[in-house]
Amino acid sequence: MTPLSEEMVRLGSTRSVIRELFEFGARRSAEIGAENVFDFSLGNPSAPPPRIVTETAAELLSTCDPAALHSYTSAQGDASVRAAIARDLTARFSLPYSPDDLYLTMGAAAALCCAFKALTCPGDSFVVLAPYFPEYQVFLQAAGAKMTVVPPRTRDFQIDLDALDRAIDAHTKGVVVNSPNNPSGAVYSPETCKQLADLLTAKSEAYGHPIWLLSDEPYREIVYPGAEVPWLPALYRDTLVCYSYSKSLSIPGDRFGYLLIPPASPDAKRLSFAVAGAARSLGYVCAPTFFQRIMERCTGYTADLSVYAKNRDLLLEAFRSYGYSCVPPQGAFYLFPRTLEEDDGAFCERARKFDLLLVPGSSFGCPGHMRISYCVPTERILRSLPAFQALAQTYL
Amino acid sequence: MTPLSEEMVRLGSTRSVIRELFEFGARRSAEIGAENVFDFSLGNPSAPPPRIVTETAAELLSTCDPAALHSYTSAQGDASVRAAIARDLTARFSLPYSPDDLYLTMGAAAALCCAFKALTCPGDSFVVLAPYFPEYQVFLQAAGAKMTVVPPRTRDFQIDLDALDRAIDAHTKGVVVNSPNNPSGAVYSPETCKQLADLLTAKSEAYGHPIWLLSDEPYREIVYPGAEVPWLPALYRDTLVCYSYSKSLSIPGDRFGYLLIPPASPDAKRLSFAVAGAARSLGYVCAPTFFQRIMERCTGYTADLSVYAKNRDLLLEAFRSYGYSCVPPQGAFYLFPRTLEEDDGAFCERARKFDLLLVPGSSFGCPGHMRISYCVPTERILRSLPAFQALAQTYL
């Protein structure tokens, strides 16, 4: 056996729980028909992209010099595209952003990888808050950083600030937050965000270096009545926003997003260089030019996201009557109820017998829960309800 | 000053020679008009993309379910897209390829990064042949591998096989080749390729493990009459092909290519896992779906590349009469003449006085030469000739 990078072999061959569910779903679909398999495992948006995306794409193809649509741009992205996004952010969040503050990336995953790699010095660690997106671990390890997990506050999935306080130490380079949250659907309240900012300010002073706040916010625009998503850079200066258009515009395959670097930080210039260096060493070259051009005109728009509110309400109402206990999601498109037995793996295994494909909370550092991705056709929700009810009855 | 990753700060702030030339060119263009600045520094294709790319894009937009164009695909790429590319490769190169042998990437840079990271164990090194693409160094360092450079054979820019023989040792994990070559324009002859394969076979046996051949071939389709580009996997089993559609279809901004993993290698399965793991740890998620769909129909096509032959012939003929000495390029779109003084940096600096923007060969590990990217409008070539002549006369 030839020596390869065993770490990479392991990373590539470890089937994620979600991948396994996907393959189980494919097999069952062949047996009983796709409409009878209730796949709630994937975060692939079900709302179609808005017409403006398709129309802008078609118009660019028919009116622009193809060279302008398909050439390289500078590594951080075309200046006029960055200007359009900066104008939109300035208008929405009342902070003065310039094109220099933006580095266009291939989605939020790339933005996170660049940020981690730009920030990490030997011995550094980042704090993540359970439940958390499992790829954080992969990206942090690739950057050479350690990951410290703050346990979940399961009564409301807000931040357990005391636990976060205890988790930060002299080696902490940053804290990663994701609100609206995958998988809990929590939106951190303005009070939580204010307390978070105060805590990070105090810790930065105590340790004599900034504790960076990485705000991973692909779900920013998916938020339900009564909730609002505070703009963290307005509360805490040293915030890096990692954004993706995947969910707001329903274009996850197009791989487009950005990293916003805090212009008021005294380290902004060096940090921009470090991000550029990280993107270079990761082989990114530039974000896809055609989609840069599309976003120049479409940033600030969203798909019609109303289907998610409808799906959420249907599930919440039915689940209450079936006896599932759940913190109502305030954003994103995930429901994260308690499982009806402690072992969430065993619960989700049993759910498969009802052709319900659910992801155990353990995958997100939060056992005893299940993630239900309701970014699916409403039809699937309706057809699945008897299965959820029957599953609950096996626990009576 | 806050500690950031100093390696990334350095990588992002070190201005490459090409970047400096770009900015000099922008300043001079403002002063004397862009038409009077003879920028030969960039490898941005000047041939427009073929109509089939634009037409396919427009047709997909008007006929396909947007979800199919913008959703995630599996990490290695959509199976039917990989099948289309595998069929094309099988038809062209008479080896039986399957979709499983392909990993779709965001261009050749991403393919190289994934390959290096998948293969590298601690202590490994890769051999590159001067003149070489300078980003190899960046990508190898990111993967944790050392780089060993074989000096150039400047009389014809074929491989110096004796020097390569001496450069390979027990730590050598692979050899990187790039034919047609950037910056020399050389195409390795069938004899050279055969000898390379024999050498690598012997070395693999001697060291008891495969020496992988990484064939970086974005210029495969840009080749002039009389030359042919041998298909290296047919000569040497353990070849990984890193391909990009950037140059053949003139779509460098679209970031699309693939890594071809040798199906006959006993390590193929583990290597595929390792590549998937590397792509995951680099934050790639999947190659852009819309361009996957376009390439499903456009793979095997090229832009009208005839402009490059025309530009090449114009330059070669003029250069002969001006007294520049040059190995005629057989492929790609770069001329790599000797500079008229030993110090190629000083020569290119002097060329700037004639508003000629040329890249010193030292950037590619080959001092005493200059790279002229002739992927420019023919008009620019014609207008620049008096400047090249005047520059030569300063050395009489």
Side-chain angles (χ1 to χ4, degrees):
Chain A
M1 208 169 65
T2 306
L4 304 173
S5 166
E6 294 312 317
E7 188 190 334
M8 293 304 122
V9 173
R10 187 190 54 73
L11 255 189
S13 57
T14 313
R15 300 200 156 216
S16 73
V17 175
I18 294 175
R19 175 73 189 270
E20 286 221 47
L21 282 170
F22 178 80
E23 303 201 345
F24 172 81
R27 281 198 309 277
R28 280 300 279 167
S29 294
E31 288 166 24
I32 61 170
E35 71 283 7
N36 296 314
V37 179
F38 310 120
D39 188 347
F40 295 103
S41 65
L42 294 177
N44 215 347
S46 55
R51 279 179 49 194
I52 189 168
V53 167
T54 305
E55 286 169 2
T56 302
E59 194 189 329
L60 290 171
L61 285 171
S62 66
T63 60
C64 281
D65 175 10
L69 298 182
H70 302 290
S71 292
Y72 293 116
T73 69
S74 71
Q76 76 267 43
D78 180 83
S80 60
V81 178
R82 285 182 287 121
I85 296 172
R87 275 195 304 276
D88 176 53
L89 292 176
T90 299
R92 287 163 70 196
F93 303 117
S94 305
L95 283 177
Y97 290 110
S98 89
D100 290 346
D101 309 328
L102 288 161
Y103 199 98
L104 307 186
T105 63
M106 290 172 172
L112 286 162
C113 286
C114 289
F116 290 147
K117 194 155 185 179
L119 291 170
T120 300
C121 302
D124 281 350
S125 70
F126 286 79
V127 175
V128 307
L129 313 171
Y132 61 87
F133 182 50
E135 294 301 277
Y136 291 159
Q137 169 88 74
V138 176
F139 300 160
L140 284 169
Q141 188 164 338
K146 291 189 197 69
M147 183 170 103
T148 305
V149 179
V150 171
R153 190 167 96 170
T154 55
R155 72 171 185 274
D156 60 3
F157 293 112
Q158 295 288 310
I159 301 174
D160 181 340
L161 286 149
D162 292 334
L164 175 59
D165 186 325
R166 289 190 299 273
I168 295 173
D169 65 20
H171 299 290
T172 305
K173 191 46 127 351
V175 173
V176 185
V177 295
N178 170 224
S179 166
N181 185 263
N182 170 13
S184 74
V187 173
Y188 296 152
S189 69
E191 300 69 41
T192 298
C193 292
K194 177 71 173 60
Q195 289 168 335
L196 171 66
D198 291 345
L199 174 63
L200 295 181
T201 302
K203 290 287 183 183
S204 298
E205 272 174 34
Y207 291 113
H209 62 81
I211 312 279
W212 300 93
L213 179 59
L214 281 78
S215 183
D216 174 23
E217 42 188 74
Y219 301 99
R220 155 165 292 283
E221 283 78 18
I222 304 177
V223 56
Y224 304 112
E228 63 168 305
V229 183
W231 181 240
L232 291 172
L235 297 172
Y236 184 66
R237 187 192 66 190
D238 295 331
T239 302
L240 281 74
V241 176
C242 299
Y243 187 77
S244 164
Y245 292 89
S246 294
K247 317 292 181 179
S248 57
L249 287 170
S250 295
I251 54 166
D254 296 333
R255 313 309 309 135
F256 194 73
Y258 59 74
L259 183 61
L260 180 67
I261 293 162
S265 162
D267 301 303
K269 182 97 183 169
R270 288 174 65 244
L271 186 52
S272 296
F273 282 141
V275 167
R280 188 177 165 195
S281 81
L282 292 163
Y284 277 116
V285 185
C286 66
T289 303
F290 186 53
F291 285 96
Q292 291 192 44
R293 293 283 167 218
I294 293 173
M295 288 314 138
E296 185 174 6
R297 304 198 195 175
C298 296
T299 191
Y301 287 85
T302 68
D304 175 1
L305 305 168
S306 60
V307 59
Y308 303 132
K310 188 172 168 189
N311 289 355
R312 166 188 177 272
D313 294 344
L314 276 170
L315 279 170
L316 278 177
E317 195 189 323
F319 273 34
R320 241 173 250 131
S321 72
Y322 303 158
Y324 294 101
S325 147
C326 184
V327 177
Q330 298 175 290
F333 41 50
Y334 306 103
L335 204 68
F336 201 59
R338 285 187 183 280
T339 48
L340 298 178
E341 61 182 300
E342 227 173 286
D343 182 340
D344 52 321
F347 177 86
C348 293
E349 196 59 42
R350 191 187 291 196
R352 283 202 203 187
K353 301 208 177 85
F354 296 84
D355 294 307
L356 290 165
L357 308 193
L358 315 174
V359 184
S362 299
S363 300
F364 308 94
C366 188
H369 292 75
M370 54 175 144
R371 188 186 77 169
I372 300 170
S373 298
Y374 57 81
C375 48
V376 300
T378 301
E379 167 76 9
R380 189 182 305 167
I381 308 268
L382 293 169
R383 290 176 62 93
S384 73
L385 293 179
F388 277 115
Q389 186 168 28
L391 172 61
Q393 281 167 348
T394 67
Y395 286 95
L396 291 181
Chain B
M1 207 169 65
T2 305
L4 304 173
S5 165
E6 294 313 317
E7 188 191 334
M8 293 303 121
V9 173
R10 187 190 55 73
L11 255 189
S13 57
T14 312
R15 300 199 157 219
S16 73
V17 175
I18 294 176
R19 175 71 189 268
E20 286 221 47
L21 282 170
F22 178 80
E23 302 201 345
F24 172 81
R27 283 198 306 278
R28 280 299 279 166
S29 294
E31 286 166 27
I32 60 171
E35 72 282 10
N36 296 313
V37 180
F38 310 120
D39 188 348
F40 295 103
S41 65
L42 296 177
N44 215 347
S46 55
R51 280 179 49 194
I52 190 168
V53 167
T54 306
E55 286 169 2
T56 302
E59 195 189 329
L60 290 171
L61 286 171
S62 67
T63 60
C64 281
D65 174 9
L69 298 181
H70 303 290
S71 292
Y72 293 116
T73 68
S74 72
Q76 75 267 41
D78 180 84
S80 60
V81 177
R82 287 182 285 121
I85 297 173
R87 275 195 305 275
D88 176 53
L89 293 176
T90 299
R92 288 163 71 196
F93 303 117
S94 306
L95 284 177
Y97 290 110
S98 89
D100 289 346
D101 309 328
L102 287 161
Y103 199 99
L104 306 186
T105 63
M106 290 171 173
L112 285 162
C113 287
C114 290
F116 289 148
K117 194 155 185 178
L119 290 171
T120 300
C121 303
D124 281 350
S125 70
F126 286 79
V127 175
V128 307
L129 312 171
Y132 62 87
F133 182 49
E135 295 301 278
Y136 292 159
Q137 170 88 74
V138 176
F139 300 160
L140 283 169
Q141 189 165 337
K146 291 190 197 68
M147 182 170 102
T148 305
V149 179
V150 170
R153 191 167 95 169
T154 56
R155 72 171 186 274
D156 60 2
F157 293 113
Q158 295 288 310
I159 301 173
D160 182 340
L161 286 150
D162 292 334
L164 176 59
D165 187 324
R166 288 190 300 274
I168 294 173
D169 65 21
H171 299 289
T172 304
K173 192 45 131 346
V175 173
V176 185
V177 296
N178 170 225
S179 166
N181 185 263
N182 171 15
S184 74
V187 173
Y188 296 152
S189 69
E191 299 70 39
T192 298
C193 292
K194 178 71 174 60
Q195 289 168 338
L196 171 66
D198 290 346
L199 174 64
L200 294 181
T201 303
K203 291 286 185 185
S204 297
E205 273 174 31
Y207 291 114
H209 62 80
I211 312 279
W212 301 93
L213 178 60
L214 280 79
S215 182
D216 174 25
E217 41 187 74
Y219 301 100
R220 152 164 295 281
E221 282 78 18
I222 305 178
V223 57
Y224 304 113
E228 62 167 307
V229 183
W231 181 241
L232 290 172
L235 298 171
Y236 184 68
R237 187 193 67 191
D238 295 332
T239 302
L240 280 75
V241 175
C242 299
Y243 186 77
S244 163
Y245 291 89
S246 293
K247 318 293 179 177
S248 57
L249 287 170
S250 294
I251 54 167
D254 295 333
R255 314 308 311 131
F256 194 74
Y258 59 74
L259 182 61
L260 179 67
I261 293 161
S265 162
D267 301 302
K269 181 98 184 169
R270 287 174 65 243
L271 186 52
S272 296
F273 283 142
V275 167
R280 188 177 164 194
S281 81
L282 293 163
Y284 278 118
V285 185
C286 67
T289 304
F290 187 52
F291 286 96
Q292 291 192 43
R293 293 282 167 219
I294 293 173
M295 287 315 137
E296 185 174 7
R297 304 197 196 176
C298 296
T299 192
Y301 287 85
T302 68
D304 175 1
L305 305 168
S306 60
V307 60
Y308 303 132
K310 188 171 169 192
N311 289 355
R312 166 188 177 271
D313 294 345
L314 277 169
L315 279 169
L316 278 178
E317 196 189 321
F319 273 33
R320 242 172 248 131
S321 73
Y322 303 159
Y324 294 100
S325 147
C326 184
V327 177
Q330 299 175 288
F333 41 49
Y334 306 102
L335 205 66
F336 201 59
R338 285 187 184 280
T339 48
L340 298 177
E341 60 181 300
E342 229 173 282
D343 182 340
D344 52 321
F347 177 86
C348 292
E349 196 60 41
R350 193 188 288 196
R352 282 200 205 189
K353 301 208 177 84
F354 297 85
D355 295 308
L356 290 165
L357 309 193
L358 315 174
V359 184
S362 299
S363 300
F364 308 94
C366 188
H369 291 75
M370 53 175 144
R371 189 187 77 168
I372 300 170
S373 298
Y374 57 79
C375 47
V376 300
T378 302
E379 167 75 8
R380 189 182 305 167
I381 307 267
L382 292 169
R383 289 177 63 94
S384 73
L385 293 180
F388 277 114
Q389 186 169 27
L391 173 60
Q393 281 167 348
T394 67
Y395 287 96
L396 291 181

